[in-house]
Amino acid sequence: GAGVSQSPRYKVAKRGQDVALRCDPISGHVSLFWYQQALGQGPEFLTYFQNEAQLDKSGLPSDRFFAERPEGSVSTLKIQRTQQEDSAVYLCASSLTGHAYEQYFGPGTRLTVT
Amino acid sequence: ELKVEQNPLFLSMQEGKNYTIYCNYSTTSDRLYWYRQDPGKSLESLFVLLSNGAVKQEGRLMASLDTKARLSTLHITAAVHDLSATYFCAVAWGGNQFYFGTGTSLTVIP
């Protein structure tokens, strides 16, 4: 079946621009996660949704980062006024249940801020 | 904050040899994961370890968990080139926060 998909796969933004990254989780999956992966590092937790509720946003690095999942399926991660330090791969993962026993990762969006 | 440390960070090994990657974590957790990541690709789940003494094997890879020592190992037996990738361990904490190690970049040399 279809896995987690993300779009765009690559995004180049000029410093100061706003960007929106989309994640389509596996159909029926309750939990959705966003991670930021800098070059040569492991993924870092950003935020977590259970259905449409954002239960944990403690990993968002600043108030320029905003995530939503209004209907409990597709999620969007928005970054306002992008900075060079935002350059990274943004990974989305989904899990069937609220306990998130197993996460399934999407291919990621590589964001480059110039 | 939970810290997850992996070593080595880089590993170059010859085909046919055995080696072990170590993952230490700082706080009690009920779930430990191993993932594989190929260059430019996403993460592929390898193992989920849930209890002290858990051991799982898939092909040439075997993972184990010692919750008392807060240590997991990923053992590679008779390495082959196809195993070249970056391997991450991750620890679940506080319900649904996953903390990842910095990864071990494995290169298997023919």
Side-chain angles (χ1 to χ4, degrees), chain A residues 3 11 30 32 50 58 85 114:
Chain A
K11 177 71 179 177
V30 168
L32 185 145
Q50 188 168 327
S58 61
E85 61 263 28
T114 61

Side-chain angles (χ1 to χ4, degrees), chain A residues 69-86:
Chain A
R69 194 186 186 198
E71 297 179 0
S73 55
V74 171
S75 177
T76 304
L77 176 67
K78 297 179 180 178
I79 308 172
Q80 297 177 323
R81 305 180 304 281
T82 51
Q83 304 293 317
Q84 281 195 315
E85 61 263 28
D86 300 335

